[in-house]
Amino acid sequence: MNKYVLGISCYFHDSSVSLIKNGKIISAVQEERFTGIKGDSSFPSRSIEWCLNINNLKISDINYIVFYEKPLKKFLRILNSSIEYFPKSRSFFVSQMKRWLSEKIWTKTNIVKKLKFSPDKILFCQHHLSHASSIYYTNNLSHSCIMVNDGIGEDQSFSIWSGEKNKIRLLDEILFPKSLGLFYSTMTSFLGHQINEGENKVMSMSAYGNNSFDNELNKVISISDKKIFNQNMDYFEYQFSLYNNFSNKLTNLLGDPRSPNTEFLNKDLVLSNDKSKKYANIAYSTQQITEKIIEQQSNHAYEIFPSDNICLSGGVHLNCKANNESFKNSKFKNIYINFCPSDSGGSIGASLWAWNNVIEKNENILNQDVYLGPSFDNDFIEETLKDLKINYIKFNTTAELLSDAANYLLKDKIICWFQGKLEFGKRALGNRSILARPDNKKLSQKINNVIKNRESYQPFASSVLYEKAEEFFEIDSKFKNSYKYMSVVAYDNKKNTNKLSGILHVDNSCRIQLVEETDNSLYYNLIKNFFDLSNIPLLLNTSLNLKGEPIVDNPIKAISTFLRSNCDLMYIGNFKINQND
């Protein structure tokens, strides 16, 4: 008899749902993909509805629902922190209590009411344990150290776990308010970006800077042999303020914070002025100390639980540059960073934890897939195109589709690529992508400036044929399990630099996705077709969405995005749309 577990993550940011059948994830999706609200934190009603409908299930078929954290424990941390910092925390306390007492603390009741589900079958998994489970149980490992690094869970900001057979156990932790993740978020805000959205921009800015602010940042946060790192809380206000992450003391130390949307690079793609240089240098020192602390954390993790393997999760490990720099000299031989290290992955982790510890309690860990969301057949797509009165060309075979797309990529066309099941997580991994050839800097500038309206200093990722990667990049074998999810940068090996001009960052790095045919056959063969024509076995790959919008989930949103963009062509199922038709 089939058994099902539904995992839920919501109420903070990036709500999601996952569905497990007999230990394997069969469906998972983020609520933002349905609502169109980027980072949507609301109760994921639409995601639940989709997961059930696509699998022909009713809520009564679900054996357990698992929430990704423990609300009461989190509430008590907020309450205690508010008391500790009172009266400075007064506004923070009032605002938090209103939301918690009206919604968050009643999570179990809300699930029961919204889904008409038995309260006896609702489970709660600790936040960091959900993160740990999302990476450990999605890799076929019997022995691994696990490291979780984020802003804050219930009260943990960093934790080390052991993974042995199917059991995960806590070994060490760092508690709020001390937090590497919240330090980086604070500096994200200081540098003029939105928290939980702009951290990747700080990482990109850092490549333009130098270490001239190292001494100042070391007063804020620094390496510690005994405590991993020291953090001077006088520079922060996130522990008691709803609106300010940093204090006047940080402003006195570093100068005025950067205003949002201030020019950073000029039209020649060099730093605009002395202020830009200053902020680049602050970003550099922020990135550097973060990398050093993560390296310190990993060394400590190896000391208390030596293993060939380490699994990394939590939002801090979305920092693909830090992942590379902090672990390139690691004693761990295999670094696992999966497709969902952020809170959206909490639903996956919580459901896998329940399966392996509450339901089956066996040692059979199944490899999982990343393509877990909605898909649409050609009949549905064609009907949509007709309803919208869109002119299109239909391909009779996949070979025709691939050949046509590869030829237009060769001709410097920028294409939208909508195929198969929607990816889960932050990255577009070849099913909801905007693609271009990687050796044309003008194309990448057009995508940044005209199509996606991004900051000009943000680089692009690249999808590379697995067997050809070492001809272009310095590939580290310890990251072989992480490259496929764009979780680590790699550096130009100087053998074919002229073929990488559109994807290399100013520091000669690139966030790469190594693509194997067994992972995504259609996407692999698109790149291979392009390689056969160009002798370049890679493509520039960025997500199929416009600024401020989530990655598209369905054909109507995909077509809308294409028509509002300046992309040249769209390949959607077995159909091609031309922007000029």
Side-chain angles (χ1 to χ4, degrees):
M1 183 176 179
N2 293 324
K3 293 181 180 179
Y4 297 94
V5 180
L6 192 74
I8 297 176
S9 167
C10 64
Y11 295 149
F12 184 52
H13 62 89
D14 225 4
S15 297
S16 70
V17 171
S18 67
L19 179 65
I20 284 182
K21 175 183 178 181
N22 301 332
K24 183 174 178 61
I25 308 165
I26 56 172
S27 298
V29 68
Q30 291 140 276
E31 187 72 358
E32 66 167 19
R33 307 294 165 86
F34 296 121
T35 65
I37 302 170
K38 194 166 186 179
D40 193 344
S41 64
S42 64
F43 188 84
S45 300
R46 299 187 189 186
S47 299
I48 293 169
E49 181 181 10
W50 175 80
C51 281
L52 295 175
N53 289 344
I54 199 68
N55 293 288
N56 297 312
L57 297 174
K58 300 176 183 177
I59 196 66
S60 57
D61 295 317
I62 303 300
N63 296 89
Y64 287 95
I65 290 178
V66 194
F67 195 70
Y68 83 120
E69 64 181 9
K70 297 187 174 183
L72 182 57
K73 188 174 183 181
K74 194 169 192 175
F75 174 78
L76 291 174
R77 185 260 298 169
I78 292 171
L79 186 62
N80 290 333
S81 181
S82 298
I83 293 170
E84 180 181 353
Y85 289 99
F86 196 82
K88 291 185 289 186
S89 62
R90 184 180 181 279
S91 296
F92 173 82
F93 173 77
V94 171
S95 176
Q96 288 291 325
M97 290 305 106
K98 283 181 179 178
R99 187 170 184 193
W100 273 91
L101 294 176
S102 64
E103 181 181 50
K104 287 186 174 184
I105 202 169
W106 312 113
T107 297
K108 188 171 187 176
T109 301
N110 289 340
I111 293 173
V112 171
K113 288 182 177 179
K114 290 176 185 290
L115 302 180
K116 305 295 188 291
F117 195 75
S118 170
D120 297 334
K121 297 295 184 179
I122 298 173
L123 306 174
F124 293 85
C125 181
Q126 189 178 343
H127 187 107
H128 271 218
L129 181 55
S130 293
H131 276 310
S133 299
S134 75
I135 179 65
Y136 182 68
Y137 291 129
T138 52
N139 289 282
N140 195 23
L141 300 173
S142 60
H143 189 277
S144 181
C145 186
I146 308 166
M147 204 167 90
V148 178
N149 230 332
D150 64 2
I152 182 64
E154 293 89 357
D155 55 2
Q156 294 171 320
S157 63
F158 170 74
S159 54
I160 300 170
W161 309 73
S162 65
E164 294 184 277
K165 297 183 178 179
N166 75 322
K167 296 298 180 186
I168 297 176
R169 294 181 177 86
L170 179 65
L171 301 177
D172 202 357
E173 62 185 359
I174 290 175
L175 303 179
F176 181 88
K178 191 175 174 182
S179 170
L180 178 61
L182 291 179
F183 158 73
Y184 205 95
S185 293
T186 297
M187 298 310 299
T188 296
S189 177
F190 184 90
L191 290 166
H193 303 300
Q194 183 180 343
I195 290 173
N196 294 326
E197 286 294 330
E199 284 80 359
N200 63 316
K201 298 177 184 179
V202 174
M203 182 181 70
S204 300
M205 290 172 70
S206 71
Y208 292 88
N210 60 43
N211 64 357
S212 58
F213 273 85
D214 278 6
N215 290 336
E216 286 82 356
L217 264 295
N218 277 321
K219 295 177 181 178
V220 179
I221 193 167
S222 60
I223 296 289
S224 169
D225 289 336
K226 292 184 179 180
K227 300 178 182 178
I228 302 179
F229 66 94
N230 293 316
Q231 185 175 358
N232 188 335
M233 299 311 301
D234 291 342
Y235 292 99
F236 302 89
E237 293 190 356
Y238 62 71
Q239 61 273 36
F240 58 80
S241 174
L242 196 62
Y243 305 106
N244 299 316
N245 284 75
F246 52 89
S247 67
N248 290 334
K249 187 170 182 177
L250 187 69
T251 302
N252 293 335
L253 179 70
L254 302 178
D256 292 336
R258 179 174 176 263
S259 298
N261 303 316
T262 303
E263 185 180 67
F264 185 67
L265 301 183
N266 61 25
K267 62 181 181 180
D268 297 319
L269 301 182
V270 297
L271 292 169
S272 300
N273 49 45
D274 288 342
K275 280 191 174 181
S276 292
K277 292 178 183 177
K278 166 193 163 181
Y279 296 126
N281 295 340
I282 292 173
Y284 178 91
S285 293
T286 297
Q287 180 70 23
Q288 287 291 304
I289 189 62
T290 298
E291 292 168 5
K292 291 175 181 177
I293 289 172
I294 294 174
E295 183 175 8
Q296 184 86 341
Q297 291 172 333
S298 70
N299 290 340
H300 177 60
Y302 190 85
E303 287 175 1
I304 63 176
F305 194 76
S307 175
D308 285 346
N309 308 308
I310 186 167
C311 295
L312 306 177
S313 192
V316 169
H317 292 295
L318 286 169
N319 192 318
C320 52
K321 187 174 188 298
N323 291 337
N324 181 79
E325 300 301 319
S326 303
F327 286 91
K328 62 185 180 183
N329 298 316
S330 174
K331 293 180 181 179
F332 293 105
K333 295 179 181 178
N334 303 298
I335 317 295
Y336 293 84
I337 314 164
N338 68 0
F339 53 89
C340 55
S342 66
D343 276 7
S344 62
S347 67
I348 288 178
S351 54
L352 287 172
W353 166 80
W355 179 265
N356 285 280
N357 293 273
V358 178
I359 300 176
E360 284 298 310
K361 299 183 180 180
N362 59 35
E363 298 176 8
N364 182 27
I365 297 175
L366 302 171
N367 285 323
Q368 307 293 346
D369 195 3
V370 64
Y371 305 100
L372 296 164
S375 63
F376 303 85
D377 61 30
N378 285 311
D379 289 341
F380 182 91
I381 293 171
E382 187 166 25
E383 184 178 339
T384 301
L385 292 168
K386 288 178 178 178
D387 288 344
L388 295 173
K389 295 180 171 55
I390 302 289
N391 294 326
Y392 61 87
I393 294 173
K394 183 176 183 178
F395 299 102
N396 293 318
T397 66
T398 300
E400 290 178 7
L401 166 74
L402 295 174
S403 176
D404 193 83
N407 272 282
Y408 276 105
L409 286 166
L410 186 71
K411 296 174 184 176
D412 290 339
K413 300 300 181 183
I414 299 170
I415 71 170
C416 295
W417 184 254
F418 182 100
Q419 305 290 339
K421 288 187 175 183
L422 171 67
E423 305 95 327
F424 187 89
K426 295 277 190 181
R427 317 295 194 197
L429 298 173
N431 281 7
R432 303 287 188 275
S433 293
I434 294 174
L435 305 172
R437 61 184 300 158
D439 60 341
N440 188 331
K441 187 73 173 177
K442 291 182 179 179
L443 292 181
S444 61
Q445 290 173 358
K446 180 182 177 181
I447 297 172
N448 250 348
N449 301 332
V450 180
I451 295 173
K452 303 206 69 164
N453 292 308
R454 304 194 318 170
E455 289 82 355
S456 57
Y457 55 84
Q458 287 189 262
F460 288 101
S462 177
S463 300
V464 192
L465 295 182
Y466 177 87
E467 64 272 19
K468 295 291 182 179
E470 290 185 345
E471 297 177 18
F472 292 80
F473 298 100
E474 296 174 357
I475 299 297
D476 189 335
S477 61
K478 67 167 64 73
F479 295 115
K480 64 183 179 181
N481 301 292
S482 302
Y483 284 129
K484 67 170 64 179
Y485 302 125
M486 292 185 184
S487 297
V488 192
V489 299
Y491 289 89
D492 173 23
N493 64 13
K494 307 298 183 182
K495 295 178 182 179
N496 289 285
T497 303
N498 62 314
K499 297 179 180 179
L500 305 175
S501 58
I503 57 165
L504 286 182
H505 197 27
V506 66
D507 61 357
N508 292 316
S509 70
C510 180
R511 178 163 51 91
I512 63 171
Q513 173 197 8
L514 298 192
V515 184
E516 296 185 71
E517 189 166 14
T518 52
D519 291 329
N520 190 331
S521 177
L522 186 67
Y523 190 44
Y524 174 92
N525 282 294
L526 173 65
I527 303 170
K528 190 172 188 306
N529 269 255
F530 178 73
F531 171 53
D532 292 340
L533 295 172
S534 65
N535 202 33
I536 303 174
L538 59 148
L539 292 173
L540 180 156
N541 176 11
T542 187
S543 54
L544 182 50
N545 64 304
L546 300 180
K547 187 173 183 177
E549 300 176 5
I551 297 173
V552 302
D553 67 304
N554 65 47
I556 292 177
K557 289 179 186 175
I559 293 166
S560 171
T561 298
F562 170 65
L563 295 176
R564 289 180 292 125
S565 77
N566 281 275
C567 294
D568 299 299
L569 300 158
M570 165 168 266
Y571 293 86
I572 177 167
N574 276 2
F575 306 93
K576 179 174 74 172
I577 309 171
N578 195 311
Q579 187 72 261
N580 299 320
D581 288 347

